[in-house]
Structure formats: C-alpha cells, structure tokens
Amino acid sequence: METIDGASAPIGTRRPDRIAERARNELWKKSPRRIEASECITCDTCLRHCPPEFDAIFDRGLDVVIIPELCSGCPACVVVCPMDCIYVDDDWEPTGHDLWSLVNLTAGGR
C-alpha cells in the first residue's frame, strides 16, 4: 500500500490529500450527496453532523453546499436533515474554483 509521510492511509484517503488533489477517493463506491437549495432552510444541522474525516459541507451564508470530492456518500447528513433535502448525486461534476477557495479558507479552522 502506497503511503504519504509514513501514514497508514493510501494516497487520496486523507482529507488534506483530497483537498490538494481536488479529487474523490477512488475507493468510495457510493456517489456523493447534494443539497437541494430550494428545499434547504440553512439550519446547518447537516454541517454539524458531517464526520470530521470528510468535513464536506459548507455554509456559504445563503446556502449550504456539499463538496462532492470530499463527500464519501455516507448518510450522516441525510439522517439528521429536518427538511429531507439531501439527495444522492449520481451526476455530480467537479467543484468549481470559487468553492475550492472556500474550502481552502476553512481547511485549518474547522
């Protein structure tokens, strides 16, 4: 198993590596999740329940978004969402530069 800096995780499995590579872990079998903005009340419950090893959900002020490259597809956010507005995103597209800027701004402070 190839490792980074002697860590036991293969390349791409650690959150900082996924941020640097801007890529999903290829071992993840589930599609990422997405939040339907028109149904979301921006309560941030999903954000608070996203496991720290993924930390894929961000509050942009007027909406909450999931960065698909960081989302493993686990149901942690879905289970707690009071609006049931989080869906499987089989047709996800790579995250744009503007959202990656948000990730980079908050990467050390979460």
Side-chain angles (χ1 to χ4, degrees):
M1 174 184 301
E2 189 172 0
T3 63
I4 300 173
D5 299 328
S8 60
I11 292 175
T13 60
R14 297 182 332 177
R15 186 175 187 273
D17 300 332
R18 292 190 309 274
I19 291 172
E21 297 169 9
R22 295 186 177 190
R24 286 187 91 228
N25 183 328
E26 62 188 34
L27 300 175
W28 290 342
K29 302 299 180 202
K30 295 181 180 180
S31 295
R33 306 290 175 153
R34 69 173 177 80
I35 297 171
E36 180 57 49
S38 65
E39 300 171 15
C40 178
I41 60 171
T42 319
C43 68
D44 288 350
T45 302
C46 57
L47 186 150
R48 293 189 307 273
H49 286 83
C50 184
E53 61 268 26
F54 307 121
D55 225 0
I57 305 175
F58 295 83
D59 185 334
R60 293 195 306 178
L62 296 176
D63 62 349
V64 180
V65 296
I66 296 176
I67 306 297
E69 291 87 348
L70 301 178
C71 177
S72 72
C74 84
C77 59
V78 177
V79 173
V80 298
C81 179
M83 300 306 294
D84 293 325
C85 66
I86 303 174
Y87 302 95
V88 172
D89 191 1
D90 289 325
D91 300 321
W92 71 277
E93 295 187 11
T95 301
H97 179 71
D98 59 328
L99 284 179
W100 280 114
S101 297
L102 178 65
V103 172
N104 290 332
L105 286 173
T106 61
R110 291 188 119 188

